[in-house]
Amino acid sequence: MIDIVNVKEFSGDLTKAIQYIHGVWGDDSNYNFYQDAIENSSLPDKALPQFYLMLKEDKIIGCSALITNDFISRHDLYPWMACLYVDEEERGHSYARLLIEYAEDQARKAGFSNIYLTTDHAGYYEKYGWQRIEDGIDLFSDQVTRIYTKKL
């Protein structure tokens, strides 16, 4: 059975959730950043940010987030769906779609009419109704990156 939960509702140890998300997206220099962001994240239907875990029989197999900015120059656009990941051995079951839809639903419940993401994956998000709208500048690389949106 697959469940998606806000990290604040995770019945396991919050440290385990932080280690999972950091393990996927972080590096040796930023564990404290992820820890602080996740520990201070919000419950569903509250303020941003929100971090989500995908569970299969209580084992974390994926994650996503809804945040105010995804390290991109366009601070005027939000919320951003970020941190989308499904374990390699669990891919091929449309689990990423479930995480995307969950983040979209949470953004809709919070009253947002659009949701955004930034990615270098051309063609992937279009399958789920997202449209490329323009480019922004990535904080870390200082390079142009694609911005997508979806009406909720």
Side-chain angles (χ1 to χ4, degrees), residues 86-96:
V86 175
D87 288 348
E88 286 187 33
E89 62 273 9
E90 298 293 345
R91 294 180 186 169
H93 304 287
S94 297
Y95 292 157

Side-chain angles (χ1 to χ4, degrees), residues 7 12-13 21-22 30 32 35 42 44 48 55 58 68 73-75 77 79 104 122 131-134 143 145-146:
V7 294
D13 181 6
I21 295 169
H22 174 262
N30 60 15
N32 291 334
Q35 180 181 16
S42 299
L48 300 176
L55 308 172
D58 296 324
T68 56
S73 58
R74 293 301 306 273
H75 290 261
L77 304 174
E104 292 170 355
Q131 296 179 335
R132 184 175 179 186
I133 56 169
E134 58 190 271
Q143 300 296 309
T145 185
R146 295 177 184 94

Side-chain angles (χ1 to χ4, degrees), residues 69-105:
N69 188 275
D70 197 10
F71 306 110
I72 190 167
S73 58
R74 293 301 306 273
H75 290 261
D76 58 313
L77 304 174
Y78 62 91
W80 295 80
M81 184 189 69
C83 301
L84 180 66
Y85 184 81
V86 175
D87 288 348
E88 286 187 33
E89 62 273 9
E90 298 293 345
R91 294 180 186 169
H93 304 287
S94 297
Y95 292 157
R97 177 184 53 80
L98 297 175
L99 283 162
I100 292 168
E101 290 172 353
Y102 189 84
E104 292 170 355
D105 187 51

